[in-house]
Amino acid sequence: MSDDLSLLKIKLNQLISKYKNVSYLETDPICFPKRYKNPLDIEIVSIISCLFAYGNVKNIKNFLDPIFNMMGASPYEFLSQQSSSFSKFLQNLKGYRFQTKEDVVVLFLTLQKILRKKTKQSPIFESYFLNSKESFEKNSSIQNFQKKIESEILITANTKELTYGLQFLIGKWNSKSPKKRISLFLRWMVRNEYPDFGLYKKIKTYQIPYPMDVHIQKLSKVLGIHNQKQVQLNDAFLLTEFFRNINAVDPLLYDFYLTRVGIIDRCKGRYEEKICNGCELKEVCLVVPRGIEPRLQG
């Protein structure tokens, strides 16, 4: 490992020491599945939380908190059963940003249909990512997941085309976007270390694209890892490969902690004395003195 990477690893480990505390889980959508013990509840709450994980954390929590409260102690059991409580639940749902109330209702009806077809055996969605050989493929697995969910939604809605809100929610399978929210869901499901759950056993952590939210995009630039103005799915896979140089077994280890730099420390991606001088990454950041050279291009 080069001196630059060794120093970066030291600083990343300092960042982990700072933020590896359960109190910081409340600054992340992972706080929702952390409320449950049953793997079936964890998985269904995780997919819902990740699909709506856009916008600031406060807005996400304001939208999802009432939903999970209405679903009671076991969201899996609640969604699996047709009852008057579920009908009332649908009536009380609200829209969220690009999703209308009708979009949200269709999503939950679709999830109910999927769960009622499944046996009580976790995991629920892992097979959606796997090919005929039960393996994860870089160029098709996430797209196949999107296709399958889209197909289920179209059947539920009895239509041939998704609304804008539902299309935004699951993403276009044939787009080159980094597919951040699905990658985040995979991180939660595949990693078997804090703060994640490790429910999926047939997918390896190093196979997953890095969840390229705005904070990771910003930090990967100021750390000199990439300099693209627009990131695509291949860039997310490249970022995973970069972190494999630091941690070959668990390259996504750093995702949760790096995003705290943006969410809590309010990193702007430019030098601001009050923010930067207290940052654990200041010695390896390009926007402050003693920066390092870019390590990943293209």
Side-chain angles (χ1 to χ4, degrees), residues 232-253:
Q232 299 182 347
L233 182 58
N234 189 57
D235 298 309
F237 281 112
L238 281 174
L239 192 58
T240 298
E241 286 300 311
F242 171 80
F243 280 107
R244 285 191 76 183
N245 295 320
I246 298 174
N247 190 323
V249 177
D250 190 12
L252 271 67
L253 163 66

Side-chain angles (χ1 to χ4, degrees), residues 43-61:
E43 188 176 4
I44 195 64
V45 170
S46 291
I47 190 65
I48 294 167
S49 300
C50 285
L51 288 177
F52 288 104
Y54 70 98
N56 65 55
V57 175
K58 180 180 178 181
N59 289 340
I60 296 168
K61 293 179 76 171

Side-chain angles (χ1 to χ4, degrees), residues 109-160:
L109 285 171
T110 301
L111 291 174
Q112 183 189 60
K113 181 179 64 177
I114 292 171
L115 296 188
R116 295 183 76 182
K117 289 192 296 185
K118 298 282 286 188
T119 59
K120 282 192 176 182
Q121 183 178 0
S122 184
I124 302 163
F125 295 106
E126 185 177 23
S127 63
Y128 284 42
F129 292 97
L130 303 177
N131 62 17
S132 59
K133 297 181 180 179
E134 295 283 283
S135 61
F136 184 92
E137 292 186 349
K138 173 181 177 180
N139 295 321
S140 61
S141 285
I142 291 179
Q143 293 87 340
N144 287 341
F145 169 83
Q146 290 175 293
K147 287 180 186 178
K148 290 172 183 176
I149 296 296
E150 179 174 320
S151 177
E152 297 277 9
I153 290 175
L154 289 173
I155 293 171
T156 301
N158 192 26
T159 185
K160 295 182 179 180

Side-chain angles (χ1 to χ4, degrees), residues 1-13 223 225 241-247 254 284 292-293 295-296:
M1 187 183 297
S2 69
D3 291 343
D4 282 348
L5 287 180
S6 295
L7 179 58
L8 179 59
K9 184 172 184 177
I10 290 170
K11 296 305 173 183
L12 289 170
N13 287 337
L223 292 175
I225 300 172
E241 286 300 311
F242 171 80
F243 280 107
R244 285 191 76 183
N245 295 320
I246 298 174
N247 190 323
Y254 309 105
V284 290
I292 52 179
E293 293 300 318
R295 292 180 291 272
L296 176 65

Side-chain angles (χ1 to χ4, degrees), residues 82-111:
Q82 184 69 52
S83 65
S84 58
S85 296
F86 184 70
S87 299
K88 185 177 180 180
F89 167 78
L90 295 178
Q91 293 173 6
N92 289 330
L93 288 173
K94 297 180 180 179
Y96 177 71
R97 299 193 69 186
F98 303 132
Q99 287 77 48
T100 65
K101 174 179 177 176
E102 290 72 23
D103 292 334
V104 179
V105 168
V106 168
L107 174 68
F108 278 95
L109 285 171
T110 301
L111 291 174

Side-chain angles (χ1 to χ4, degrees), residues 251-292:
L252 271 67
L253 163 66
Y254 309 105
D255 179 51
F256 175 81
Y257 306 102
L258 282 169
T259 52
R260 297 318 96 188
V261 176
I263 294 170
I264 298 174
D265 294 341
R266 303 295 183 184
C267 173
K268 306 296 184 184
R270 61 180 183 272
Y271 182 71
E272 292 195 9
E273 185 176 355
K274 289 184 179 180
I275 295 174
C276 296
N277 285 357
C279 180
E280 281 71 18
L281 301 176
K282 64 182 179 182
E283 292 182 44
V284 290
C285 180
L286 294 177
V287 302
V288 296
R290 300 187 307 278
I292 52 179

